[in-house]
């Protein structure tokens, strides 16, 4: 009988847990880890090294994460739904797996991997639509100790080749095709193109999803449905060391060449489960939905591992928020009775721009907790989400974290710690944030701002960047030795809550005054006609840096000069009122869209280049959602 993990229920319990996690981290994290299934317990809870970046958790322990996600629940939750799959096309039947069924599917896929020569330690890349077999294949890799590296299905052949080669993957798992909204991608064909440049790959396993014709290369490609015919329904889990790598995930690349972030087994498991359970406060019979793609870290930790470790029912959605109508998310919530919903500010903003009747058509009665991740959520979007989706009764957990942190670091715990617009909130137990000045000294007290760094390792901390530890060291540990450097700026408000200001590189310094881009964008977005905006700095003779704002208006609202002038004036008026004259943009350019990574983040380095007038070399744009938008922005430059 598995012991269920205790969870924080009150503010006092949060404070107590937080204090213990700082005063005696080893005892604290030993207690948290206790209820998991271990083949062997650890010898040492923590070996900390924030100078070289060699941090280790639970060394000496032996385990398999899938025994904790699946086998552990079979006796008590075998018939409980583990995974609900909602297809892109609402007319197609949803698919549901109980814990017992999911366990069996994972075992079968694991046996197929074995039969195709995949062994413990091998790297397997997955380039797949958001179908159940993606979740199953990820867990199957973990079952046999192979290191999974999921590549978002939408990246170009070049981007795949870069990642496959960096990881030296031996096997790739893909499907015949993908449908996302009205868009279709022949994923197998893209993989074929990529693999022309990937000598390490010996085999490709293809899942049939849409029945599209594909070319199968002799001696390399096999169909999953053929392979699975012959295999057993059980597969013993490989015994892994605590610090054996679990996965590599390449970060989205908003700031440059993608880095292969490596997470290991035991620490990541404990962190994924602990953060999921405490932040979202999911109850036993809840349906939980994280709308992120498994190609992003959010999909890894909060669609897959966190919910399954906790024995929750997790919903996986193949489509997009606006297909077949902008009411799709809300329809899915009503259809499945979703209680906890976790999405991104970019999705919220895109839905806000549509007629409110798309929301009003649904009851949304089941919702209890809402979450946000990916970038600072601006106040407009926060209020819309809170009022129209949460009907004023659901707390919003604004979760700050990074691929490198493995799980949520700063956030409200739903209904327990404060949820305030534009504030991520308080650190989770185990997280010791500090604000540093440029010299790397800690800034004490409240009502202060600086570079956000973390003072002590937590179980989900990045272990290395694949094949290049020096890069990890320089990026995260060498900047201010003794601290994990996040690259983000933050403000600790008078009440001690953290407000994330955006990336340090994005801070704009106007005549000695420092502004976070989020702060100015927040003010611009308050204008009714504005859907979204992005602000960057550019060199300015007098002020050091000037402010350049890119603004998207609601349909038709800024089509002529007069309305543009009008909107410009009101944007400036809000900024002056909210922040001050000093933050007034020097240039405002109206655009149709913004260059975004596929996870919905604005690629500000491109906008900075355009603002600087340096458009000859815009750098790597292979991870952009819509590269054409860049040309339009360059043409419309002021
Ligand atoms: P790269 O590191 O390759 O440039 P990336 O940083 O966009 O890519 P992620 O790890 O997905 O890749 O994103 C983490 C970053 O997203 C954080 O450093 C922060 O800037 C931003 N972020 C995430 N969640 C929040 C949040 N709730 N509030 C504010 N910012 C957030
Ligand atoms: Mg980052």
């Amino acid at each position: 009988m598995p012991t269920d993990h205790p969870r924080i229920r009150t503010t006092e319990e949060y404070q107590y847990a937080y204090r213990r996690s700082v005063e005696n981290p080893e005892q604290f994290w030993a207690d948290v880890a206790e209820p998991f299934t271990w083949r062997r317990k650890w010898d040492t809870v923590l070996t900390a090294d924030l100078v070289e970046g060699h941090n280790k958790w639970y060394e000496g322990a032996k385990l398999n994460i899938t025994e904790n996600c699946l086998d552990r629940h079979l006796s008590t939750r075998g018939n409980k739904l583990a995974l609900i799959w909602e297809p892109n096309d609402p007319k197609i039947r949803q698919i549901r797996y109980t814990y017992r069924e999911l366990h069996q599917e994972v075992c079968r896929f694991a046996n197929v991997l074995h039969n195709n020569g995949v062994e413990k330690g091998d790297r397997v890349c997955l380039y797949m639509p958001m179908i159940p077999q993606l979740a199953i294949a990820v867990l199957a890799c973990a079952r046999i100790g192979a290191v999974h590296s999921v590549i978002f299905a939408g990246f170009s052949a070049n981007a795949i080749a870069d990642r496959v080669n960096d990881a030296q993957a031996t096997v790739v798992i893909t499907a015949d095709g993908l449908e996302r909204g009205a868009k279709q991608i022949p994923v197998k064909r893209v993989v074929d193109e990529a693999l022309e440049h990937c000598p390490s790959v010996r085999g490709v396993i293809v899942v049939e999803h849409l029945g599209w014709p594909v070319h199968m290369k002799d001696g390399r490609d096999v169909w999953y449905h053929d392979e699975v015919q012959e295999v057993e329904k059980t597969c013993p889990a490989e015994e892994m060391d605590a610090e054996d790598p679990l996965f590599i995930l390449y970060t989205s690349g908003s700031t440059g060449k993608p880095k292969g972030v490596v997470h290991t087994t035991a620490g990541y498991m404990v962190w994924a489960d602990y953060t999921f359970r405490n932040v979202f406060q999911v109850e036993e019979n809840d349906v939980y939905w994280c709308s992120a793609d498994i190609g992003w870290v959010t999909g890894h930790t909060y669609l897959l591992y966190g919910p399954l470790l906790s024995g929750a029912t997790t919903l996986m959605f193949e489509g997009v928020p606006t297909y077949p109508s902008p009411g799709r998310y809300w329809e899915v919530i009503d259809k499945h009775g979703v209680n906890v919903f976790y999405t991104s500010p970019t999705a919220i903003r895109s839905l806000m721009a549509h007629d409110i009747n798309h929301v009003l058509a649904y009851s949304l009665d089941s919702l209890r907790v809402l979450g946000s991740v990916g970038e600072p959520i601006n106040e407009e979007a926060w209020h819309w989400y809170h009022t129209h989706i949460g009907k004023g009764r659901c707390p919003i957990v604004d979760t700050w974290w990074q691929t490198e942190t493995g799980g949520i670091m700063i956030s409200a715990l739903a209904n327990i710690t404060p949820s305030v617009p534009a504030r991520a909130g308080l650190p989770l137990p185990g997280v010791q944030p500090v604000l540093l000045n440029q010299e790397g000294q800690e800034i004490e007290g409240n009502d202060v701002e600086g570079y956000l760094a973390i003072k002590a390792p937590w179980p989900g901390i990045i272990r290395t960047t694949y094949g290049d530890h020096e890069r990890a060291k320089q990026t995260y540990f060498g900047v201010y030795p003794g601290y994990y450097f996040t690259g983000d700026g933050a403000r600790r408000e008078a009440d001690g809550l953290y407000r994330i200001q955006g990336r340090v590189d994005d801070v704009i310094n106007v005549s000695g005054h420092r502004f976070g881009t989020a702060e100015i964008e927040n003010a611009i977005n308050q204008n009714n006609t504005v859907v979204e905006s992005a602000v960057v700095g550019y060199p300015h003779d007098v002020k050091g840096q000037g402010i350049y704002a890119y603004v998207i208006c609601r349909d038709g609202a800024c089509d002529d000069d007069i309305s543009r002038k009008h909107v410009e004036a009101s944007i400036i008026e809000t900024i002056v009122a909210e922040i001050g004259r000093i933050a007034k943009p020097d240039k405002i350019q109206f655009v149709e869209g913004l260059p975004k990574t596929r996870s919905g983040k604005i690629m500000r380095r491109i906008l900075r280049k355009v603002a600087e007038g340096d458009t000859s070399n815009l750098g790597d744009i292979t991870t952009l959602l819509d590269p054409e938008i860049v040309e339009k922005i360059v043409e419309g430059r002021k």
Side-chain angles (χ1 to χ4, degrees), residues 45-208:
V45 176
L46 167 64
T47 309
D49 174 1
L50 289 175
V51 177
E52 297 293 324
H54 295 301
N55 297 285
K56 297 189 170 86
W57 284 89
Y58 305 111
E59 256 183 309
K62 305 246 182 231
L63 73 156
N64 185 288
I65 194 169
T66 69
E67 283 188 334
N68 285 281
C69 289
L70 301 168
D71 307 57
R72 188 162 59 102
H73 302 303
L74 293 182
S75 62
T76 48
R77 300 189 174 106
N79 297 324
K80 175 177 173 172
L81 284 181
L83 182 72
I84 302 174
W85 179 71
E86 170 69 25
N88 182 53
D89 179 348
K91 293 193 292 296
I92 289 178
R93 210 169 52 87
Q94 45 167 301
I95 301 178
R96 296 155 166 254
Y97 298 85
T98 62
Y99 271 91
R100 186 160 292 113
E101 290 163 343
L102 188 62
H103 176 262
Q104 194 181 334
E105 291 307 313
V106 169
C107 285
R108 280 156 41 107
F109 211 123
N111 287 325
V112 168
L113 291 175
H114 256 155
N115 292 347
N116 280 275
V118 180
E119 288 176 14
K120 180 175 180 174
D122 288 351
R123 276 82 52 218
V124 174
C125 285
L126 298 91
Y127 186 78
M128 293 175 80
M130 279 283 283
I131 54 178
Q133 289 82 0
L134 169 56
I136 291 164
V138 165
L139 295 168
C141 289
R143 187 86 179 167
I144 63 169
V147 181
H148 55 80
S149 179
V150 182
I151 303 169
F152 176 71
F155 279 155
S156 64
N158 277 339
I160 300 173
D162 284 350
R163 288 160 175 77
V164 167
N165 289 334
D166 190 78
Q168 286 293 294
T170 53
V171 164
V172 173
I173 307 173
T174 188
D176 48 358
L178 169 156
E179 285 180 332
R180 189 182 287 129
K183 200 190 272 171
Q184 301 190 318
I185 305 176
V187 278
K188 172 65 166 65
R189 210 156 73 209
V190 183
V191 165
D192 287 341
E193 201 186 320
L195 294 192
E196 281 173 27
H197 312 282
C198 302
S200 63
V201 175
R202 294 190 314 258
V204 178
I205 299 172
V206 188
V207 173
E208 184 175 44

Side-chain angles (χ1 to χ4, degrees), residues 251-255 259 373-376 398-404 488 500 503 601:
T251 53
S252 56
S254 359
T255 51
K259 302 174 273 276
V373 61
E375 56 179 313
D398 177 1
T399 61
W400 175 83
W401 60 296
Q402 309 177 298
T403 309
E404 298 87 340
D488 285 342
I500 310 298
R503 292 165 204 281
K601 285 196 202 157

Side-chain angles (χ1 to χ4, degrees), residues 250-259 261 296-298 342 345 372-377 397-405 410 424 476 486-489 499-503 506 597 599 601-602:
Y250 290 84
T251 53
S252 56
S254 359
T255 51
K257 183 177 178 281
K259 302 174 273 276
V261 173
W296 310 124
V297 72
T298 307
Y342 189 29
S372 168
V373 61
E375 56 179 313
I377 176 164
V397 292
D398 177 1
T399 61
W400 175 83
W401 60 296
Q402 309 177 298
T403 309
E404 298 87 340
T405 69
I410 302 181
Y476 307 109
T486 68
D488 285 342
R499 177 179 193 138
I500 310 298
Q501 296 174 309
R503 292 165 204 281
D506 297 338
T597 64
S599 56
K601 285 196 202 157
I602 298 166

Side-chain angles (χ1 to χ4, degrees), residues 340-359:
V340 178
F341 177 53
Y342 189 29
T343 194
S344 62
T346 174
I348 298 165
R349 281 195 303 266
S350 78
L351 294 172
M352 273 168 75
H354 296 279
D355 190 331
I356 191 68
N357 284 315
H358 289 296
V359 179

Side-chain angles (χ1 to χ4, degrees), residues 416-431:
I416 296 170
T417 56
S419 161
V420 181
R423 318 275 194 286
L426 295 172
L428 264 67
V431 177

